[in-house]
Amino acid sequence: MLDDRALTAAASAAGLSPLRFERQLGGSDRSQVCRVADADGTTYVVKQYLSRDGGTYAREPAALEALAGTGVGPRLLGSSHDPDLVVLADLGTHPTVADALLGRDPDAASAAIDGWVDAIAALHLAGDDDVLDTYGRRLSARAKDMDTHRMPGTFSYAADRYEGVGQRLGVAAPPGFLEALRDLTAGLGPAPPVLTPGDACPDNNLLSDGRVVLLDHEFAEVRHPIWDVAYLRVPWPTCWCSWRLPDAVADGAVDRYRAAVAPRVPSVTGDRFLADLDLATLGWCLSSCSWQIETAIEEDRGPDGLDGPTARPKILHRLWLASRLPGPAPLTAYARRLLDELSRLWGEPTLVLAPAFRSDDITIP
């Protein structure tokens, strides 16, 4: 719940009359999201950042300012740095792509994924030089030394984690693996960089009027567009609801993205795009596993109070996928070694399909 200080700051930031708290809409340990109303009953959304770790307080308003007028995200009405918060236009209450995936209608889930793809494609196409430049300037104004591009650091962090994991399991990460992981982003082909939310999970959006509006730009950054597309192949590497997708659904969604973007970026129709997609899928598999393995060795936990898979099936599935993908041999070979060792410890729990697709579920080898 927002306190009086936050409500006052929000009203001042957006040039509104005094605001009153209506209800909590969501949040995490990083932020709280609430609906508020002014004296006339018009409602708005206020997101207050509870920590400065990760720079979410600076990344999100900078991204929304850069994307203003593109229609690909919520409209920013104002921001405050004391306390850290943003005021957004209220888009109303609508389901998310996650709701469709957790339902029982495969057609509705497929349509929701198509909407997600359309939104990602629109976001990428909107990310011209002016948008990227505005994001960099607005981010720097809030946090002078914050990087606009974080993926190289993501893989350096993952390599550091694997050093500890390998020692703990008695399957030491060889130097070739650590070097290849740290240098993974250098293997991607050239592509126009895009501004992305960085965490376009199935629940970070609204399904409204036949389209998906992307929410939550806390981890916004400028990067190669393939990282967003690879979310379909892992799938959803940074998300709690990361059940598997049927291959036909994931492949069809990738094809839909390519068709949407091709008129402006013809290179997405070529083989290099597919090679980059394999490498980005491999990268997401390995990096996301590194965040969870040590905890999963002790306990196979799932997301508290949410219908998402537990850690061990996700890890085993991603290592299995990583071991089968084309890519640098040190990466795929060590993924297989880890998979063998963790399968020995845990057995072979299967990551099943998202609930909406479970009528045609299969077992992973």
Side-chain angles (χ1 to χ4, degrees):
M1 180 173 176
L2 297 172
D3 60 22
D4 289 343
R5 178 167 169 264
L7 289 169
T8 299
S12 177
L16 299 171
S17 62
L19 297 171
R20 66 175 185 274
F21 174 82
E22 290 277 299
R23 61 184 293 255
Q24 191 94 10
L25 297 177
S28 66
D29 56 355
R30 301 183 304 271
S31 62
Q32 61 172 335
V33 183
C34 303
R35 178 169 285 129
V36 300
D38 64 14
D40 296 328
T42 303
T43 59
Y44 307 89
V45 171
V46 174
K47 183 172 188 177
Q48 182 178 10
Y49 305 97
L50 306 177
S51 168
R52 288 203 159 196
D53 292 344
T56 57
Y57 74 97
R59 292 186 181 278
E60 184 153 37
L64 294 176
E65 287 170 352
L67 293 167
T70 64
V72 298
R75 185 161 59 96
L76 178 69
L77 302 178
S79 65
S80 165
H81 69 275
D82 185 22
D84 293 318
L85 56 80
V86 292
V87 185
L88 309 172
D90 189 358
L91 299 175
T93 300
H94 302 280
T96 68
V97 175
D99 293 327
L101 292 173
L102 300 179
R104 291 295 183 268
D105 185 341
D107 292 336
S110 294
I113 291 171
D114 285 347
W116 183 91
V117 169
D118 293 345
I120 292 293
L123 174 69
H124 289 180
L125 291 172
D128 58 19
D129 289 344
D130 286 342
V131 166
L132 302 186
D133 180 65
T134 299
Y135 175 68
R137 288 188 290 102
R138 300 297 175 86
L139 181 64
S140 179
R142 290 179 168 88
K144 185 175 181 180
D145 298 323
M146 196 168 290
D147 292 334
T148 60
H149 185 63
R150 303 190 307 155
M151 292 307 289
T154 295
F155 290 103
S156 291
Y157 174 79
D160 292 343
R161 296 295 297 266
Y162 277 114
E163 285 190 284
V165 167
Q167 293 172 2
R168 182 169 182 180
L169 291 173
V171 185
F177 168 81
L178 297 173
E179 292 170 5
L181 188 59
R182 289 191 174 98
D183 293 340
L184 187 142
T185 60
L188 294 173
V194 298
L195 175 59
T196 165
D199 185 29
C201 293
D203 63 332
N204 287 338
N205 54 71
L206 294 177
L207 282 163
S208 175
D209 298 326
R211 61 187 287 263
V212 169
V213 180
L214 299 172
L215 308 177
D216 196 348
H217 290 65
E218 289 185 13
F219 296 103
E221 64 173 307
V222 175
R223 67 188 186 193
H224 197 296
I226 204 68
W227 296 112
D228 288 341
V229 185
Y231 258 51
L232 296 160
R233 295 270 301 271
V234 178
W236 320 121
T238 62
C239 312
W240 60 267
C241 51
S242 49
W243 302 109
R244 281 194 304 117
L245 297 178
D247 288 345
V249 172
D251 291 344
V254 171
D255 289 344
R256 186 181 182 92
Y257 173 85
R258 298 174 83 184
V261 173
R264 287 263 301 277
V265 190
S267 60
V268 302
T269 63
D271 291 340
R272 184 57 199 245
F273 174 89
L274 296 176
D276 285 345
L277 183 58
D278 284 336
L279 185 61
T281 304
L282 176 62
W284 275 133
C285 285
L286 292 174
S287 62
S288 62
C289 284
S290 77
W291 309 331
Q292 295 185 302
I293 288 178
E294 288 193 271
T295 302
I297 291 172
E298 301 297 334
E299 183 180 10
D300 186 26
R301 293 190 59 184
D304 293 338
L306 298 169
D307 184 12
T310 57
R312 290 177 183 176
K314 288 195 297 184
I315 291 168
L316 293 182
H317 174 256
R318 292 173 189 180
L319 291 174
W320 172 84
L321 179 57
S323 71
R324 295 169 63 90
L325 284 165
L331 298 181
T332 58
Y334 188 60
R336 170 55 65 179
R337 289 184 64 196
L338 280 178
L339 176 63
D340 291 343
E341 179 60 21
L342 292 173
S343 295
R344 184 186 68 78
L345 292 175
W346 298 341
E348 297 188 1
T350 298
L351 181 65
V352 298
L353 293 170
F357 299 112
R358 283 186 190 166
S359 61
D360 60 349
D361 199 7
I362 60 172
T363 299
I364 300 175

